[in-house]
DNA sequence: CGTACTTTTGAATCGCATCAAATCTGGTGG
DNA sequence: CCACCAGATTTGATGCGATTCAAAAGTACG
C-alpha cells in the first residue's frame, strides 16, 4: 500500500526487529473475540476485515483494512472485542504488544510520531465520513479529489473497482459517474490519473 | 456533549487552567486557511464545520464537530489548511497550542491518555465509515446500535434529527425506518432508548 | 400562550443497486 | 506467437429506497 512504507519507517529500529511476518490465506482468521491481545498488526497487502457477531446474530463490520494498522485501540485492552478475518490472501507484520507499548512509553520520538499518525488517520477518516454523507456519486468523486488530491489532481493507488468500495458505491455507479463528469468537462481521466478541470465560468448570469 | 466531559478530565490540571472560553455566534469564524495555529480547540456545545474551498470553487466539508476536539492534526502544522465556521452558536475551550504540545511531550500520563483518545476516535470513525457504506436505513440503524450500544441497547445522547445526520440520512428516512423496525418486532423505542429485540427464530426452515 | 423545534406522515421524483452481459486487460502456459 | 484465463472495465434495463417538497401534530421553554 501507499503509506504502509511510511508507517513502517516510523517504527523504531529495535521494535521493528521484533516483528514477525504473518501470512493469511483467504478467509483465514487472525484473531477472535476473547483472544488475548499479543501483537499490534500492520497490514502490508491483501485485506483484513474486523467484525463482530451482533446481539441479533447479524454480523457487523467494524473496519476493512487494505493497508495500515488494524485494531490499534485494542492495545489498551487485554482481549479482543471483535474477530479479524482475511477477505483476501494477506501479508501482515506482527509487533509484540508489550514491546510496542513499551516503545510508546519510553521512546518519546516514537510517541510523538504515533500521535501524529493517529491524528492524521482521524483527519482522513472524518473527511471520508463527510464524503460518504454526500448523496450523489459525482459529489463524492469531486470531494475525494479535492480532499485527498493536490490542486485538483490525484493519482489513484488502487484499482477503480476498489475505489468504488471506498466511496460507498458499486463499481458500475462509479464508472457511470466518471463518464458523466468527463462528458460535462469537469474531469479528465487518463488511466489512474484524475484531474479536475477549472470551471469554465458557465454560471448562468452570476452578475 | 456526551464524552466532552471525559475529554476535559483527561487534560492535566496545569493545562486546563490555561484554557480560555470561546463563544461563537452562528456563522462566525474560528479560523481561516493560512491562520497561524495558536490553540487546540475543544467543542463543548453547538456545531463547528471545517471546510475548504476546493480547486473548483466548490466548498468541501472535511469535518462537522458537535463535541470533542477539532483539527487535532493541525497541531503538527504551523498554519491551518481549512476554514472553521460555526454552523450554530457554539461554546469552545481554547488551549494554547505551545502549552498543549509541551504537555504532550513532558507529561507522559497525558501523552498515553492522548494516544488512547485518538485510537478510540479512529476506531469509532472506522465503524462509522462502514456504517455509512450500508445501503439501507434499517441496516445503518442496527449497525449503530450493535457498534455503539451495549448488548443491543443504546440511550441516544442526541435528538433523532441530529442522529439522522450522523447516519447519513434525512430525518424523514430515519423516522420511517425506525417505524418499520418496530413494526417488524426487531426494535423497541421508548424516547431516546433503543433496544434491539432478539430475533424470534422466524427463520423459514433452517433445518 | 406563543414560538421554535422535533417528530411524524404523505406523494412524487431521482439516483443508485441489482442483474446481466460484453469488452478489455495483463499475465500464464502451450 | 497464440490461446486462455481471471480480473477489471464498461454498457444496458429494471426496481427499490432514499430524497425532496409539503404539511400536520407533538413538545419544550420562556
Amino acid at each position: 500500500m501507499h503509506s504502509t512504507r511510511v508507517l513502517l519507517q516510523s517504527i523504531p529500529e529495535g521494535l521493528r526487529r521484533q516483528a514477525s511476518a504473518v501470512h493469511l490465506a483467504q478467509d483465514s482468521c487472525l484473531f477472535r473475540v476473547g483472544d488475548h491481545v499479543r501483537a499490534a498488526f500492520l497490514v502490508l497487502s491483501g485485506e483484513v476485515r474486523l467484525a463482530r457477531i451482533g446481539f441479533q446474530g447479524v454480523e457487523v463490520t467494524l473496519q476493512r483494512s487494505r493497508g495500515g494498522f488494524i485494531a490499534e485501540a485494542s492495545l489498551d485492552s487485554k482481549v479482543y472485542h471483535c474477530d479479524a478475518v482475511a477477505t483476501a490472501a494477506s501479508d501482515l507484520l506482527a509487533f509484540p504488544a508489550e514491546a510496542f507499548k513499551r516503545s510508546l512509553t519510553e521512546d518519546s520520538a516514537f510517541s510523538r510520531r504515533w500521535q501524529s499518525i493517529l491524528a492524521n488517520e482521524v483527519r482522513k477518516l472524518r473527511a471520508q465520513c463527510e464524503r460518504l454523507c454526500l448523496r450523489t456519486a459525482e459529489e463524492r468523486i469531486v470531494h475525494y479529489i479535492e480532499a485527498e488530491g493536490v490542486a485538483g489532481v490525484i493519482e489513484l493507488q488502487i484499482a477503480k473497482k476498489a475505489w468504488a468500495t471506498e466511496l460507498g458505491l458499486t463499481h458500475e455507479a462509479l464508472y457511470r459517474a466518471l463518464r458523466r463528469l468527463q462528458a460535462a468537462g469537469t474531469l479528465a481521466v487518463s488511466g489512474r490519473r484524475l484531474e479536475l478541470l477549472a470551471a469554465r465560468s458557465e454560471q448562468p448570469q452570476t452578475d
Side-chain angles (χ1 to χ4, degrees), chain A residues 32-184:
Chain A
R32 294 223 174 267
V33 175
D35 285 359
H36 282 273
V37 177
R38 293 185 212 282
F41 296 101
L42 178 64
V43 178
L44 300 176
S45 72
E47 185 182 82
V48 177
R49 200 167 60 93
L50 298 188
R52 191 195 301 158
I53 303 297
F55 179 69
Q56 284 217 316
V58 183
E59 196 185 53
V60 173
T61 298
L62 300 171
Q63 181 191 354
R64 211 176 287 268
S65 172
R66 302 179 61 81
F69 285 96
I70 54 171
E72 301 97 316
S74 292
L75 276 176
D76 291 328
S77 160
K78 279 193 84 72
V79 297
Y80 287 106
H81 299 286
C82 59
D83 300 328
V85 177
T87 329
S90 307
D91 284 298
L92 298 85
L93 280 182
F95 301 91
E98 285 311 317
F100 200 94
K101 284 192 274 191
R102 205 177 318 119
S103 288
L104 279 178
T105 305
E106 295 168 4
D107 184 337
S108 66
F110 180 44
S111 176
R112 276 195 301 276
R113 186 81 190 87
W114 185 246
Q115 282 163 10
S116 165
I117 288 170
L118 289 176
N120 202 49
E121 183 79 3
V122 165
R123 183 187 57 73
K124 272 179 59 176
L125 287 167
R126 282 177 182 157
Q128 189 177 358
C129 284
E130 291 298 331
R131 183 155 54 242
L132 290 171
C133 283
L134 297 175
R135 282 147 282 96
T136 69
E138 296 180 27
E139 285 176 304
R140 292 188 198 171
I141 291 169
V142 172
H143 187 290
Y144 185 91
I145 300 175
E146 296 276 26
E148 308 293 333
V150 177
V153 180
I154 196 166
E155 179 84 21
L156 289 180
Q157 300 298 325
I158 51 181
K160 294 211 184 78
K161 198 174 179 181
W163 188 34
T165 304
E166 198 176 328
L167 291 174
L169 299 168
T170 59
H171 58 279
E172 295 99 323
L174 173 60
Y175 290 125
R176 281 189 258 257
L178 284 174
R179 185 156 280 274
R180 282 196 302 271
L181 286 170
Q182 287 179 83

Side-chain angles (χ1 to χ4, degrees), chain A residues 182-196:
Chain A
Q182 287 179 83
T186 311
L187 182 71
V189 180
S190 57
R192 288 187 175 172
R193 184 175 183 279
L194 305 176
E195 178 174 6
L196 285 175

